[in-house]
Amino acid sequence: MYPIIQTLPAWAQVALLIVPSISAIFAAIGLALSASQVRRTNKQARATIVSDALKAFSTSVEMKRAFYMIEYSRFTYDESFHDSDLERELDQLLQHFSIVALSWQSGLLKAPDLKPLEYFVLRIMRDSEVKMYVAFVESWSQQAELGQHPYSALAEMGRILGA
């Protein structure tokens, strides 16, 4: 094959060297642009998960009612709590943030992505009464042999955030 190339004019020989090199450069640029786009798309998807969580929280009367009970230190975990409206509201709040925690635990979200939720999660998970309720739910779940309760993921995420 080498002697065939020598029979070509000099410009054609040079072109046979340059064209593949230029093609490789364009392929590398395309790969870099594609990788950059994938990173941006992933970041946007993570931001959407967090944004949707904030939106759902801010529009739910039940979750906000439970949160403000905690926020103003009016939440008390005692026997009257079970089977009450407040239990259902708190469970809705905890389940909501547990879904985000499960997304974080599975690697869909990174710790920096959670910054917009940090105040709410820390406020909830640092509350001593909520801690008692979460401990009760986790204990009950283990005794019933139902596996790890999703609140465990929320508790872990709270610890990572500083609860």
Side-chain angles (χ1 to χ4, degrees):
M1 183 109 159
Y2 180 73
I4 294 175
I5 294 174
Q6 287 181 338
T7 62
L8 296 173
W11 66 267
Q13 291 178 22
V14 171
L16 283 174
L17 292 174
I18 293 176
V19 170
S21 300
I22 291 172
S23 295
I25 290 170
F26 280 121
I29 290 170
L31 183 62
L33 290 173
S34 178
S36 174
Q37 182 61 39
V38 166
R39 282 191 299 278
R40 272 186 293 198
T41 300
N42 288 343
K43 189 173 184 175
Q44 183 175 2
R46 293 191 315 266
T48 299
I49 291 170
V50 172
S51 173
D52 288 349
L54 282 171
K55 183 178 179 183
F57 171 67
S58 69
T59 58
S60 170
V61 173
E62 295 82 8
M63 282 193 278
K64 284 170 53 176
R65 188 172 17 241
F67 178 78
Y68 285 123
M69 292 287 291
I70 297 164
E71 178 79 349
Y72 297 118
S73 301
R74 292 190 311 237
F75 172 63
T76 304
Y77 175 62
D78 57 20
E79 288 303 315
S80 66
F81 173 75
H82 290 283
D83 202 30
S84 68
D85 289 340
L86 181 56
E87 181 183 25
R88 286 182 278 286
E89 291 169 355
L90 180 63
D91 276 335
Q92 184 179 358
L93 178 67
L94 294 173
Q95 288 167 11
H96 175 72
F97 285 112
S98 289
I99 291 168
V100 175
L102 290 168
S103 296
W104 163 76
Q105 198 174 53
S106 69
L108 293 175
L109 295 174
K110 299 176 183 177
D113 299 326
L114 302 172
K115 255 328 190 190
L117 302 172
E118 184 176 31
Y119 175 82
F120 303 107
V121 172
L122 289 178
R123 187 66 185 100
I124 294 164
M125 298 313 294
R126 283 182 178 170
D127 186 86
S128 60
E129 301 290 318
V130 171
K131 285 180 182 180
M132 285 191 295
Y133 177 60
V134 169
F136 164 78
V137 171
E138 287 178 350
S139 172
W140 181 85
S141 181
Q142 286 176 349
Q143 288 173 356
E145 297 180 359
L146 297 173
Q148 191 176 35
H149 196 280
Y151 293 172
S152 298
L154 178 58
E156 182 183 344
M157 187 174 83
R159 282 189 293 277
I160 294 297
L161 293 175

